[in-house]
Amino acid sequence: FTWTVLNIQFANAQIRVSTVDLGARRVASATGSFSILQAPPVDNIAPTVSFTSPVGGESFNSGSNLSIAWVSSDNVGVTSQDLSLSLDGGQTFPMTIASGLAGSTQSFNFAIPQSLTTNQARLRLIVRDAAGNTAQSTTANNFTIQAAMDTVAPTVTISQPSSNQRVIAGQPIQVSWTSTDNRAVVSQALLLSLDGGQSFTQVTSLGATANSFVLNNINNINLDFTTPQAIVRITATDQAGNTGMKDSTFIISPMLSMGSYTDKVLNISGIGFMANVGQGQGQAQSLQVFVNDSLVNVTPTTVNNNSISIKGNKKKLGIVKGANNVRVVVNGVMSNSVSFQF
């Protein structure tokens, strides 16, 4: 039996059940004591809520903090609050800013994403009490979230060629790098200097995602000559026009392929026997020849970028019977060493 409790109050109530059979025999049993109390009033009053900031019409920058403030209350107490953002004037609220906020919370700082822009932003706050009553408030008018002025230049790092790395004259040069930006890189360029940075030639323009390029003897660039101060430069530009750049200095070295001594003439073959000065080649080079690790003090008969001839007897040239080695130094940059027999 389900008993509807009477509208009474009693501290020591009991319920007794009596049973009688056909022989008029009777038995009864009672419950223990319990209390009947006044029922609490039903809470059917919804909370109240209203925004104090923003109210609409303001403009905020993406990437900044938006300070949101409101007033919410309830006849018993607010238990939770949910805050969300609309980008279409309040038709939908797809972005949850915070959920399950404590009832005592009356403000929140929202970090606006860097990429977020709209001129139809509105906020909505839904509040709840313990009885499940809800109320909500939406900012009365749209406010604007605009792109902040970007003053941060991209950052470039070059991994190849590394600082003071030696590469061989006439050989392709691998250039590798990374470019990053607080928003996005939109274009890049690769420049080259062969005179220590006095002048640069733009080798190529590159897209936003490029991260490698191979330098060859193309586009009016000649890598056949020696230089102690070649510089590769990468520039990266973002949409706001900010440009970042990075330089890496490397060395283009001469390379010997063969040496011989015949008819009192020392012949050396290879590449890079002349130097880059300015954007010209083969200008004002300083050339030294070493035989068996001793400097040859004889002026070469002929010198071009691929061969050197020096006339002299073996004593003047420091040549010995049997195995000899020869190397050259161009503008302070040393070549490899090659051996020949005499």
Side-chain angles (χ1 to χ4, degrees):
F1 182 77
T2 300
W3 177 48
T4 301
V5 181
L6 301 176
N7 187 19
I8 60 175
Q9 297 183 62
F10 203 79
N12 295 297
Q14 287 184 305
I15 294 176
R16 183 177 65 190
V17 177
S18 297
T19 303
V20 180
D21 65 9
L22 293 175
R25 288 177 289 271
R26 183 183 299 274
V27 67
S29 180
T31 67
S33 296
F34 59 91
S35 298
I36 300 175
L37 305 177
Q38 179 69 42
V42 176
D43 180 10
N44 54 15
I45 300 175
T48 61
V49 58
S50 62
F51 281 101
T52 58
S53 177
V55 294
E58 303 94 337
S59 291
F60 304 96
N61 291 331
S62 56
S64 65
N65 282 328
L66 171 57
S67 295
I68 306 168
W70 63 88
V71 175
S72 60
S73 61
D74 185 64
N75 64 313
V76 177
V78 174
T79 57
S80 70
Q81 307 177 97
D82 298 335
L83 185 62
S84 56
L85 176 67
S86 172
L87 306 177
D88 56 13
Q91 297 182 54
T92 61
F93 288 83
M95 184 178 294
T96 298
I97 295 177
S99 61
L101 293 172
S104 59
T105 301
Q106 302 289 279
S107 64
F108 190 85
N109 283 329
F110 171 48
I112 303 174
Q114 288 279 2
S115 59
L116 181 61
T117 59
T118 179
N119 58 4
Q120 292 183 298
R122 293 200 186 198
L123 293 166
R124 181 181 68 186
L125 186 69
I126 299 176
V127 298
R128 300 175 180 83
D129 64 15
N133 301 305
T134 65
Q136 70 177 37
S137 178
T138 303
T139 48
N141 297 292
N142 296 337
F143 59 91
T144 298
I145 299 174
Q146 61 191 6
M149 182 178 295
D150 181 10
T151 60
V152 180
T155 300
V156 182
T157 57
I158 299 176
S159 55
Q160 284 186 278
S162 58
S163 179
N164 294 321
Q165 177 181 334
R166 287 176 175 263
V167 299
I168 297 171
Q171 298 298 306
I173 301 170
Q174 176 67 49
V175 183
S176 301
W177 71 92
T178 57
S179 297
T180 58
D181 187 59
N182 63 318
R183 293 188 179 175
V185 173
V186 295
S187 65
Q188 303 179 94
L190 188 153
L191 298 88
L192 180 67
S193 172
L194 298 173
D195 56 12
Q198 296 181 49
S199 58
F200 280 87
T201 297
Q202 181 166 318
V203 178
T204 184
S205 296
L206 301 158
T209 60
N211 58 17
S212 67
F213 189 84
V214 177
L215 289 170
N216 286 296
N217 287 332
I218 56 174
N219 298 330
N220 299 319
I221 295 174
N222 194 331
L223 302 175
D224 292 344
F225 297 87
T226 293
T227 177
Q229 288 185 306
I231 301 174
V232 64
R233 172 176 290 174
I234 300 294
T235 65
T237 304
D238 63 19
Q239 193 166 24
N242 302 304
T243 298
M245 70 178 182
K246 185 69 174 180
D247 292 351
S248 183
T249 301
F250 61 100
I251 300 166
I252 300 179
S253 303
M255 184 188 71
L256 275 60
S257 57
M258 187 180 67
S260 65
Y261 183 64
T262 305
D263 297 330
K264 296 184 178 181
V265 177
L266 175 62
N267 293 299
I268 306 169
S269 300
I271 190 170
F273 299 155
M274 304 184 80
N276 277 295
V277 177
Q279 290 297 346
Q281 289 84 34
Q283 307 290 319
Q285 74 279 8
S286 170
L287 174 66
Q288 295 174 303
V289 178
F290 291 81
V291 174
N292 298 323
D293 297 324
S294 295
L295 177 63
V296 174
N297 290 312
V298 179
T299 302
T301 308
T302 60
V303 177
N304 61 46
N305 200 49
N306 299 103
S307 65
I308 301 170
S309 296
I310 305 176
K311 188 174 183 179
N313 60 43
K314 62 180 183 179
K315 184 176 181 180
K316 283 187 176 182
L317 300 181
I319 295 172
V320 298
K321 193 69 174 179
N324 294 265
N325 66 76
V326 62
R327 57 187 171 86
V328 301
V329 176
V330 180
N331 272 17
V333 182
M334 185 180 295
S335 73
N336 61 314
S337 178
V338 295
S339 298
F340 64 92
Q341 293 289 324
F342 172 68

